[in-house]
Amino acid sequence: MPRRLTEDDVKRIRALHVEGCRPSEIAATFDVSRRHVDRILAGERRSRLGDLEERPVADAVGSLLDRLELGERDQMRATMAMQLAAKLDQVIASDSAASAASWRRWRTRWRSCLMV
C-alpha cells in the first residue's frame, strides 16, 4: 500500500525540488512513486472525499435541528453540529486508516459543540 503523505510532506517535497533535488531522488526519500512526486510538483490537487450520496448522520442531525426552535447562540451550535455530522459521514464512507483514527478528534469536538 502506498504511503499517505501529510501536508508537511507535500511542502517538504516542493521545497526539495526548489533546492534542486530531482523528482526521482525525492520519490525515493519519501517512499512514493516518481509519478506521485510529479503530480505534487505540478500542483494537482490531492484527492478529497466528494459529495456523498448517503449522509445518514447529517440527515439525522438536520432532521432533529429542523424540529427545534433555536436562538441565535444555538444557531451557531447547530451550524457546528451540521459540519461535524458531515465530517462524520465522510469518515464513515472512507476506507482510510487516517479517517478512522481522526474520529477521536471529531468525537471530542462533537461533544464540546453540544455542551451548554
Side-chain angles (χ1 to χ4, degrees):
M1 173 174 237
R3 178 170 174 245
R4 175 78 175 161
L5 297 173
T6 65
E7 291 297 327
D8 288 338
D9 291 336
V10 171
K11 289 176 186 174
R12 184 70 186 134
I13 286 170
R14 291 180 176 140
L16 287 170
H17 182 66
V18 168
E19 293 170 10
C21 289
R22 295 187 323 230
S24 58
E25 295 169 332
I26 297 170
T29 300
F30 287 89
D31 194 27
V32 296
S33 70
R34 175 171 176 195
R35 183 167 184 226
H36 191 73
V37 170
D38 288 339
R39 284 193 302 255
I40 291 169
L41 296 176
E44 292 181 23
R45 294 192 52 83
R46 301 178 83 177
S47 61
R48 304 275 184 214
L49 291 172
D51 293 331
L52 303 175
E53 289 183 27
E54 294 184 35
R55 304 172 353 132
V57 178
D59 290 343
V61 170
S63 177
L64 172 70
L65 293 173
D66 287 343
R67 292 178 288 181
L68 300 175
E69 292 183 28
L70 303 174
E72 185 176 330
R73 183 175 174 192
D74 292 330
Q75 283 290 345
M76 289 187 295
R77 287 189 175 123
T79 300
M80 178 63 114
M82 284 303 300
Q83 290 172 346
L84 292 171
K87 178 61 177 178
L88 179 56
D89 282 331
Q90 290 177 336
V91 169
I92 290 168
S94 175
D95 62 354
S96 78
S99 286
S102 74
W103 167 238
R104 289 186 186 164
R105 287 191 320 270
W106 289 104
R107 183 182 61 194
T108 301
R109 290 180 187 171
W110 177 263
R111 286 181 179 160
S112 66
C113 169
L114 297 179
M115 291 188 178
V116 175

